């Protein structure tokens, strides 16, 4: 696999350069070009020929590369394992990798290319909700299929997207409950200025109001912006005696934010932060000295103690290096490939409608625990909260005893209370009022 990624600016802050270079090097030799396929093959979307093309569409450059490059690694590992075990329907999988370049228009263009020109059977891709929202009309107009691996804000249930990350009731809402019980009732909300943080904070504010908490401040940064000093000042003013910081920043902004948070003396003993886009990979790149003692809410941490996770961690490190770490979106991307494989095998074809129907009820003994695909295109998942420890991994301080069923339409937000989603029933579809 020969493609070399552009090594242009990965972080603005120089002290993060070493960590980000490790991320770049780890990915540099493991992604094929978008036109690469095995010698002599002629793959098509329906799987004729001797291989099946699948699309991989993530940011390999730009502000979101810090998070998305490793997701590509996880997807590539799953494909390699499946191919080594004989492939799907007797065919090998050929990954067609495209760079969304942290640009939402580019994501749309590359999704269109993968579907129309490369004729892939499925696409695994996106990270930010902005990128997903921008490609969603492409998949719906062409009736194609996207598997999306990242927790998100909900308020969506597309026939053409399978969501293997958390819905808000599987990450955001449980973390707010936990913070209210354990860390305080006054919250300052900080996020990147796009759809996920703003919608997430709408949910958080409604939840706090319903449960007796208080939103004392709310501020946003353009994605990739590192001018965080004004936000730090607002947090100190709004929470002079300490309080909870709920963080939905993404990408490079987190580097500056946590450095200046510590520099301003806002330490986790008085100003605990809960992040929903920072995991092991980002901790390593930002610097554990800035994040130790802070919290994150996910469904998976590398420290999950299950046989399936031990096998996954060992396989990933063998493939990419012992110094690599694994996070929730990487695991969700990895299992997405396997869930799609199972659906194809059940359907006996890569036909999109048949695969879609076969996906419902698919279950897998995932590294995070047993997950099941629901008819609302979301997975039932265990919810976990972790505290950053000295080695950059997470101590799991809370976990639900069983998997939590997904609720795409939020029940704290008045406009979507009482709504649900069921694509197995045409009369219900993506949004229907529950009786």
């Amino acid at each position: 696999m020969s493609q070399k990624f552009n090594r242009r600016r990965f972080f603005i802050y120089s002290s993060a350069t070493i960590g980000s270079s490790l991320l770049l090097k780890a990915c540099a030799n493991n992604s094929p070009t978008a036109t690469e396929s095995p010698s002599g093959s002629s793959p098509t979307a329906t799987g004729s020929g001797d291989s099946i093309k699948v699309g991989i569409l993530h940011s390999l450059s730009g502000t979101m590369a810090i998070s998305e490059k490793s997701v590509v690694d996880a997807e590539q590992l799953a494909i390699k394992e499946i191919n080594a075990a004989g492939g799907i329907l007797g065919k090998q999988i050929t990954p067609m990798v495209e760079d969304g370049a942290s640009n939402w228009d580019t994501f749309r263009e590359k999704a269109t290319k993968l579907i129309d020109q490369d004729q892939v059977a499925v696409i695994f891709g996106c990270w930010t909700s902005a990128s997903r929202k921008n490609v969603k009309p492409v998949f719906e107009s062409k009736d194609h299929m996207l598997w999306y691996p990242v927790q998100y804000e909900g308020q969506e249930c597309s026939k053409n997207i399978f969501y293997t990350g958390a819905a808000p009731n599987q990450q955001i809402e449980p973390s707010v409950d936990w913070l209210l019980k354990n860390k305080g009732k006054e919250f300052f909300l900080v996020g990147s200025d796009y759809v996920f943080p703003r919608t997430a904070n709408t949910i958080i504010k409604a939840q706090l109001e319903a449960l007796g908490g208080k939103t004392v401040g709310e501020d946003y940064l353009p994605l990739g912006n590192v001018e965080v000093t004004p936000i730090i000042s607002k947090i100190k003013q709004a929470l002079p005696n300490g309080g909870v910081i709920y963080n939905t920043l993404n990408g490079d902004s987190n580097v500056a934010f946590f450095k200046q948070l510590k520099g301003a003396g806002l330490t986790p003993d008085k100003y605990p932060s809960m992040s929903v886009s920072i995991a092991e990979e980002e901790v390593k790149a930002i610097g554990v000295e800035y994040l130790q003692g802070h919290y994150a809410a996910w469904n998976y941490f590398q420290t999950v103690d299950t046989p399936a996770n031990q096998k996954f961690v060992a396989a990933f490190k063998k493939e990419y290096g012992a110094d690599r770490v694994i996070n929730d979106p990487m695991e969700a991307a990895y299992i997405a490939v396997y869930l799609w494989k199972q659906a194809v095998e059940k359907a006996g074809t890569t036909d999109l409608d048949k695969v879609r129907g076969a996906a419902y009820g698919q279950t897998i003994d995932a590294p995070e625990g047993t997950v099941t695909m629901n008819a609302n295109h979301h997975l039932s998942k265990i919810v976990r909260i972790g505290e950053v420890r000295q080695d950059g991994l997470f101590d799991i301080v809370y976990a639900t005893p069983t998997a939590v069923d997904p609720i795409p339409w939020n029940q704290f937000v008045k406009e979507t209370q009482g709504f649900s989603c069921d694509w197995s029933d045409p009369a219900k579809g993506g949004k229907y009022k529950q009786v």
Side-chain angles (χ1 to χ4, degrees):
M1 297 181 181
S2 60
Q3 182 178 5
K4 296 289 184 180
F5 298 138
N6 188 340
R7 292 176 181 271
R8 67 188 177 85
R9 184 184 64 86
F10 196 50
F11 286 127
I12 286 178
Y13 280 76
S14 60
S15 60
T17 301
I18 294 175
S20 58
S21 296
L22 290 172
L23 299 180
L24 287 165
K25 291 175 183 176
C27 298
N29 295 315
N30 292 290
S31 294
T33 64
T35 56
E36 184 176 333
S37 60
S39 176
S41 70
S42 179
T44 70
T46 56
S48 62
D50 56 9
S51 71
I52 299 172
K53 287 183 179 180
V54 304
I56 292 178
L57 178 57
H58 294 286
S59 294
L60 307 178
S61 59
T63 189
M64 289 308 302
I66 181 177
S67 296
E68 295 191 60
K69 282 176 175 285
S70 294
V71 174
V72 175
D73 287 346
E75 290 161 348
Q76 294 273 37
L77 176 62
I79 290 169
K80 182 176 180 179
E81 291 175 346
I82 292 168
N83 282 341
I88 302 177
L89 305 180
K91 303 177 189 295
Q92 294 285 285
I93 305 171
T94 301
M96 312 294 288
V97 182
E98 290 286 357
D99 180 10
S102 303
N103 181 286
W104 322 140
D105 291 336
T106 301
F107 268 92
R108 184 176 63 249
E109 293 164 5
K110 294 300 179 71
T112 301
K113 173 187 178 293
L114 286 166
I115 294 169
D116 291 344
Q117 181 176 322
D118 298 316
Q119 295 187 324
V120 297
V122 66
I123 295 176
F124 303 96
C126 300
W127 177 292
T128 67
S129 288
S131 63
R132 189 194 70 256
K133 291 285 190 183
N134 237 27
V135 303
K136 179 172 173 279
V138 174
F139 285 90
E140 291 178 343
S141 66
K142 298 178 182 295
D143 197 21
H144 215 274
M145 182 180 291
L146 170 69
W147 288 70
Y148 175 68
V150 185
Q151 48 75 27
Y152 81 120
E153 71 283 355
Q155 308 299 67
E156 177 179 300
C157 190
S158 174
K159 177 183 176 183
N160 300 90
I161 302 175
F162 284 91
Y163 310 77
T164 60
N169 75 299
Q170 298 169 309
Q171 185 197 35
I172 293 171
E173 293 173 29
S175 66
V176 170
D177 285 340
W178 185 85
L179 288 165
L180 285 170
K181 293 174 184 176
N182 295 280
K183 297 296 175 181
K185 296 186 179 298
E186 294 188 327
F187 284 52
F188 192 103
L189 313 180
V190 55
S192 298
D193 194 4
Y194 70 99
V195 61
F196 164 65
R198 286 195 175 273
T199 307
N201 287 339
T202 296
I203 293 168
I204 292 168
K205 287 184 288 185
Q207 185 178 358
L208 289 174
E209 183 178 358
L211 300 179
K214 182 179 181 182
T215 304
V216 299
E218 179 179 4
D219 209 349
Y220 298 89
L221 281 175
L223 195 65
N225 189 296
V226 296
E227 298 297 327
V228 300
T229 301
I231 290 181
I232 302 294
S233 297
K234 291 177 183 178
I235 292 172
K236 292 175 72 173
Q237 184 175 2
L239 293 169
N241 300 312
V244 174
I245 301 169
Y246 206 101
N247 173 38
T248 53
L249 290 170
N250 270 267
D252 294 345
S253 300
N254 276 308
V255 182
F257 180 71
F258 280 98
K259 284 187 173 184
Q260 292 196 32
L261 198 68
K262 182 177 181 180
L266 277 61
T267 52
D269 55 331
K270 289 186 64 178
Y271 293 89
S273 72
M274 179 69 73
S275 295
V276 289
S277 292
I278 287 180
E280 289 87 342
E281 191 83 349
E282 291 77 17
V283 172
K284 183 177 179 182
I286 294 168
V288 66
E289 65 270 27
Y290 302 108
L291 287 160
Q292 185 176 353
H294 288 290
Y295 298 91
W298 295 101
N299 308 105
Y300 169 87
F301 292 104
Q302 185 176 311
T303 48
V304 169
D305 187 15
T306 65
N309 189 43
Q310 292 166 5
K311 179 181 177 181
F312 173 50
V313 172
F316 189 90
K317 288 179 176 289
K318 180 179 179 181
E319 182 72 16
Y320 297 112
D323 63 331
R324 293 294 300 276
V325 293
I326 305 170
N327 63 26
D328 182 288
M330 293 162 67
E331 188 262 0
Y334 176 81
I335 65 174
V337 180
Y338 273 99
L339 286 163
W340 171 78
K341 167 188 177 288
Q342 290 182 184
V344 171
E345 290 174 337
K346 180 180 179 181
T349 176
T350 57
D351 177 83
L352 293 164
D353 281 336
K354 292 179 180 178
V355 172
R356 183 182 297 115
Y360 305 146
Q362 287 296 331
T363 187
I364 188 171
D365 182 18
E368 67 183 83
T370 301
V371 299
T372 304
M373 181 58 69
N374 290 246
N376 61 18
H377 289 202
H378 294 69
L379 291 174
S380 298
K381 301 164 76 75
I382 292 173
V383 180
R384 295 179 172 94
I385 293 171
E387 180 181 355
V388 180
R389 65 192 196 191
Q390 191 172 10
D391 63 357
L393 299 180
F394 286 82
D395 277 329
I396 298 171
V397 297
Y398 169 81
T400 56
T402 58
V404 175
D405 290 336
I407 303 175
W409 298 109
N410 192 264
Q411 302 305 298
F412 282 105
V413 177
K414 292 180 181 179
E415 291 77 10
T416 52
Q417 285 176 352
F419 284 96
S420 191
C421 168
D422 183 354
W423 284 111
S424 68
D425 184 348
K428 294 178 177 179
K431 190 177 183 180
Y432 71 94
K433 190 76 171 180
Q434 295 173 301
V435 177

